[in-house]
Amino acid sequence: MYALITFATGLVFGLGLAVSEMTNPTVVIGFLDIFGDWNPSLIFVMGGAVAIGMIGYVIRNRRSKPWLADKWYVPTRRDIDKNLVLGAAMFGVGWGLSGYCPGPGLTALTNNPMEGFYFVASLIAGSALFHFQNHRKSN
């Protein structure tokens, strides 16, 4: 049952990305270009995501545990440190330059294979670099 719900959730998420055109970097960059040729259409996508997230919080607050897990896994840290700010800034700059964030970037492997390959390879390299740096710090 867990695998089926996970698959269905991923399918709905991917369908939402495709229908909203979040998989099209031109649309994403158009949304981020507020001082140029701005495309406000993704505001509705953002509004829908916030609404679904709010429903999720209501469900979480009313249930002692999730349907398919033993407990809720919720972040407990609330501090804002330099790593959080730097990571968010790097994510934003990368998203703004490429028009891809990780989910839609994976779809580029089929929509635009060469560009998708470069994006996914860079994503893997950046993740490996982060892992290497954190592993080195803990030793």
Side-chain angles (χ1 to χ4, degrees), residues 1 39 88 124:
M1 187 64 159
N39 176 358
I124 291 169

Side-chain angles (χ1 to χ4, degrees), residues 1-6 68:
M1 187 64 159
Y2 181 80
L4 182 63
I5 291 188
T6 301
L68 299 174

Side-chain angles (χ1 to χ4, degrees), residues 54-114:
M54 290 172 71
I55 292 168
Y57 273 101
V58 169
I59 291 170
R60 182 185 153 259
N61 289 334
R62 291 189 178 171
R63 295 187 53 86
S64 60
K65 69 181 194 89
W67 287 302
L68 299 174
D70 295 330
K71 67 176 189 167
W72 293 104
Y73 293 93
V74 180
T76 56
R77 286 186 62 179
R78 296 197 177 269
D79 60 317
I80 298 174
D81 63 358
K82 69 175 180 153
N83 290 338
L84 176 64
V85 173
L86 184 61
M90 289 172 57
F91 178 88
V93 168
W95 190 33
L97 289 174
S98 70
Y100 290 122
C101 65
L106 291 174
T107 66
L109 290 171
T110 58
N111 298 346
N112 189 351
M114 207 59 211

